[in-house]
Amino acid sequence: NLDSGTIKMSLSNRAKNYIRKHHSKKSAAKIASHLNIEESEVQEFIGEISEPLPFKKKVAFYAITVSIPILFFVILEVTLRGIDYMGNTELFIDPNIPSKEYLMPNPNFASRYFFYTKTIPSPSVDVFLKNKPENSYRVFAMGGSSAAGYPYGYNGTFSRLVDDVLTDAMPSREVEIVNVATSAISTYTLFDQVDEILEQKPDAIMIYAGHNEFYGALGVGSNENLGAFPGFVRTYLKLQRFKTFLFLREMIVDAGQWIFGSNGAVGGTLMERIISDQSIELDGPEYQLAMKQFQSNMEAIISAFRDQDIPVYLSTIASNVKDQPPFVTVEQEDHPAANMVYNKAIESYAEGDTASAKSQFEYAKDLDGLKFRAPSDINKIITQLAQDFENVRLVDTHQTMEMESPDGIIGENLMLEHLHPNQTGYYLMGRSFSKKMLDELSRSGMVENQPTAFQNYFNEMYVTALDDRIVHHRLRTLKQGFPFVIDSQETPYQFNYQPSGILDSLAFGVVHKDIHWDAAKVELAQYYQREGESGKALQEYFSLIRNQPWNDSPYVFAARIYLNQNDFKNAEPLLEKAYELAPKEAFTTKMLGAVKLNKGQTQQAIKYLEESRQLNPNDPQMLYNLSGAYGTNQEFQKALEIADQVIEISPNFPGIQQWRAQLNQIIKRQNN
């Protein structure tokens, strides 16, 4: 007999497979009994197959395991960027202006914040140099729709007036005021803009914000809400810079809307689509959360600019308290009804008790359950921030507007509806910021000319009759819907509207059709020219110049009007600016040459006319003036040769035959 203790039998493949399959569920004894082998053999094989991997192999194993999902998301991110998913969402983009390298606020950047509302508001079109000049004074304006100049936009913004004032005050500097304010955004968006603004090396910041803490994107009463923790929301804002994050967000939102419905975010005005809660109590939980959110975000924003030694001009905010009744009255135990307080204010005002009326109007506004107008606590927080941060300069726009209002109560004298200023209101906003900034800049010795007649800047806003009519149509559209009209069944006015003339037709087209603002301006100006109303035409061109100072076309259009009137004095600076922006334009160089020749500046005239000749060598008017310039410069033979070219191109050109005969006589006398 063989001694089983001295001879070891190897396990069969069948036994090994059975052990591999069952060792985690059965004991070694049961497996040995089932296979009719020694338990020690089972234990030994279990030990072999359970032996840990070597360290290097273990590291490689875990590295591969972790890298697979990372690689997946990297590939997904690269793919999404390659197909430009959701477009460019950076704050600043290249506007593709040929003359120089510029940047401008991105019309699509706000798509970062609106994941339920599909209509995306956009900021102003303020162009600034990509590479900041050494002599630049660069300021960014931040805020919501009031800071963006709604419903005017363009030249109606307060920031444009600040630009005018500082440009006059500091003529040796390149003043750049860039407005990134956007409708329907809260201070979360302002916080998210900070890093990209800092990359553009600002010298100062202007902020007019606070009305949108309830219903702006990510506000506490908004459909675009992410909860009650500002720190969490600000982290979310950092993550949404990644296309993968935006893609996952859209998938979740689309799935939620498919399961639960659209949540009312599709129809109606932007104001209606973005609202989630229409009855927010004064001092209630949502109210307190909004105040906490505003203060926390503003502290984070100001701190970021403070760390870079950048002053922040922070403004109090204003709204229509006298002529805007509360939208929604909420029943509260510890506060009276908003409509009752407002009615009491009306009575007090009628009785001449303006002090009580003012207090009651403010209280009624604070009690309004539909909190489109910021409550008074927002201005208290703003005032306190100016005291707590050494880099904050308080701009008291609210006080300025009260001082400019009858009995110190802001109403329709300065407001178009509940909170957006009229032209005078925006002028006062700009004046408030300008004066505060001038005080600061004067102390640092940067102000060269101190503006005195501030009222002149109102007229230089170049808000024309066309702009006013555009505002009319925007307001009419706004006020026929929520919250001014609840559950209206009336057909919108624009469906059957018949414009009253070309101005009204163009304004209507800008608001309700696809007519661009600048194209409407040019078309109306050309109409005025045909009608002999050159003054009105010039106003439209000056309006375009103020909005697009980098574009040579409106300078040329305005210069043509002056040239047709033989007003070379006013035409010259416009042509010089056009030449600075686009020096390779035949008309600009030709007319500059003619103006210089008329002034007796012969050498400059020849320079510009020769440049025009290179661009359009067969222009008889240019050649006639060039011949005259050489003749004035006593280069008679050259003048004669060019006069012959004019005759060859246009034999009947006015005055050319007489001029050629005169040149021939001069040359003959010289030869004799």
Side-chain angles (χ1 to χ4, degrees), residues 45 50 52 158 210 379 393 454 472 481 590 617 652:
F45 184 70
S50 302
F158 84 96
N379 276 342
R393 317 289 185 258
F454 257 92
H472 164 82
K590 175 180 71 172
N652 298 319

Side-chain angles (χ1 to χ4, degrees), residues 306-579:
R306 179 196 59 194
D307 293 344
Q308 301 297 322
D309 296 321
I310 298 170
V312 175
Y313 293 87
L314 179 61
S315 177
T316 54
I317 57 178
S319 57
N320 182 352
V321 297
K322 177 176 173 289
D323 301 311
Q324 178 60 62
F327 289 112
V328 172
T329 293
V330 182
E331 297 295 332
Q332 293 185 243
E333 293 182 1
D334 48 353
H335 289 291
N339 57 353
M340 292 178 61
V341 176
Y342 182 78
N343 291 336
K344 180 62 177 175
I346 295 291
E347 293 175 8
S348 298
Y349 191 77
E351 294 168 358
D353 188 357
T354 56
S356 294
K358 179 178 179 179
S359 175
Q360 290 160 348
F361 279 129
E362 284 285 345
Y363 190 25
K365 179 257 298 179
D366 290 350
L367 288 168
D368 191 348
L370 190 58
K371 298 200 179 302
F372 278 120
R373 296 173 293 174
S376 303
D377 282 337
I378 289 288
N379 276 342
K380 292 177 182 177
I381 293 172
I382 289 170
T383 303
Q384 188 62 47
L385 288 168
Q387 297 175 13
D388 294 343
F389 288 86
E390 67 275 11
N391 66 318
V392 173
R393 317 289 185 258
L394 182 65
V395 179
D396 204 342
T397 299
H398 180 261
Q399 183 184 67
T400 298
M401 289 193 175
E402 285 189 331
M403 292 174 63
E404 296 288 337
S405 299
D407 304 305
I409 306 173
I410 302 171
E412 290 178 347
N413 63 306
L414 296 177
M415 296 290 165
L416 294 166
E417 11 77 347
H418 58 309
L419 59 82
H420 295 110
N422 57 23
Q423 185 183 353
T424 301
Y426 280 122
Y427 161 77
L428 292 174
M429 282 178 62
R431 192 185 74 179
S432 299
F433 275 96
S434 297
K435 287 189 172 182
K436 193 70 176 183
M437 298 178 81
L438 285 173
D439 289 343
E440 184 86 6
L441 294 168
S442 295
R443 284 193 289 271
S444 63
M446 293 174 63
V447 173
E448 302 163 50
N449 302 320
Q450 192 68 245
T452 53
F454 257 92
Q455 186 60 34
N456 292 339
Y457 289 107
F458 179 86
N459 296 326
E460 291 172 5
M461 292 174 75
Y462 290 112
V463 174
T464 68
L466 176 62
D467 296 306
D468 287 334
R469 197 61 185 171
I470 290 170
V471 167
H472 164 82
H473 284 293
R474 283 184 177 145
L475 289 178
R476 188 169 178 182
T477 304
L478 179 72
K479 289 186 175 182
Q480 70 184 355
F482 179 87
F484 301 94
V485 177
I486 307 296
D487 298 327
S488 173
Q489 301 300 318
E490 293 186 11
T491 302
Y493 89 97
Q494 59 267 29
F495 287 9
N496 302 309
Y497 186 76
Q498 296 297 320
S500 59
I502 184 170
L503 185 149
D504 190 33
S505 177
L506 289 169
F508 184 82
V510 169
V511 176
H512 293 295
K513 299 181 181 179
D514 295 326
I515 298 178
H516 293 287
W517 178 82
D518 49 358
K521 290 266 178 185
V522 172
E523 185 174 342
L524 184 60
Q526 291 174 343
Y527 168 80
Y528 285 144
Q529 287 179 258
R530 291 193 299 271
E531 295 296 310
E533 298 183 276
S534 58
K536 290 183 178 180
L538 283 169
Q539 290 297 303
E540 299 301 338
Y541 289 138
F542 289 148
S543 182
L544 282 170
I545 288 170
R546 188 168 184 258
N547 183 62
Q548 301 176 358
W550 41 267
N551 183 2
D552 66 301
S553 296
Y555 293 97
V556 174
F557 294 154
R560 282 179 183 270
I561 294 177
Y562 286 125
L563 290 170
N564 290 338
Q565 299 170 345
N566 292 320
D567 185 350
F568 300 129
K569 180 180 179 181
N570 282 314
E572 184 177 15
L574 293 167
L575 290 169
E576 287 178 335
K577 185 63 179 180
Y579 177 79

Side-chain angles (χ1 to χ4, degrees), residues 117-319:
T117 306
K118 298 304 180 184
T119 300
I120 307 300
S122 59
S124 297
V125 182
D126 282 342
V127 171
F128 62 103
L129 290 168
K130 184 174 183 179
N131 297 315
K132 184 181 178 183
E134 289 185 7
N135 68 333
S136 170
Y137 184 74
R138 179 173 287 179
V139 183
F140 288 88
M142 306 173 69
S145 57
S146 295
Y150 179 88
Y152 294 91
Y154 304 106
N155 294 327
T157 60
F158 84 96
S159 56
R160 288 279 168 86
L161 191 137
V162 175
D163 195 338
D164 294 341
V165 173
L166 296 188
T167 297
D168 289 345
M170 301 186 292
S172 64
R173 290 185 175 269
E174 182 81 30
V175 174
E176 296 176 304
I177 311 292
V178 185
N179 194 325
V180 296
T182 308
S183 296
I185 62 172
S186 69
T187 49
Y188 280 123
T189 298
L190 271 62
F191 170 80
D192 195 44
Q193 293 174 333
V194 168
D195 288 344
E196 288 171 279
I197 289 174
L198 285 172
E199 290 176 2
Q200 304 306 324
K201 303 175 183 177
D203 295 293
I205 302 295
M206 301 186 295
I207 300 178
Y208 186 94
H211 284 305
N212 292 342
E213 289 313 292
F214 293 94
Y215 300 126
L218 306 178
V220 299
S222 166
N223 280 317
E224 317 289 344
N225 184 282
L226 286 174
F229 302 100
F232 166 77
V233 178
R234 292 197 289 264
T235 300
Y236 159 86
L237 291 173
K238 298 294 184 185
L239 290 174
Q240 48 83 49
R241 302 293 178 86
F242 294 100
K243 297 284 187 180
T244 302
F245 187 82
L246 293 175
F247 175 72
L248 295 174
R249 185 189 75 178
E250 290 299 301
M251 288 183 62
I252 294 169
V253 169
D254 289 346
Q257 289 181 336
W258 182 75
I259 295 171
F260 301 109
S262 64
N263 200 28
V266 176
T269 65
L270 177 61
M271 296 170 72
E272 186 171 5
R273 290 192 298 271
I274 201 169
I275 289 176
S276 174
D277 192 342
Q278 299 181 18
S279 300
I280 297 176
E281 296 181 1
L282 179 63
D283 298 326
E286 284 185 293
Y287 179 92
Q288 296 296 339
L289 177 57
M291 298 305 102
K292 174 186 174 184
Q293 168 185 293
F294 179 76
Q295 181 158 355
S296 174
N297 286 336
M298 289 304 302
E299 287 176 350
I301 291 164
I302 293 168
S303 297
F305 290 125
R306 179 196 59 194
D307 293 344
Q308 301 297 322
D309 296 321
I310 298 170
V312 175
Y313 293 87
L314 179 61
S315 177
T316 54
I317 57 178
S319 57

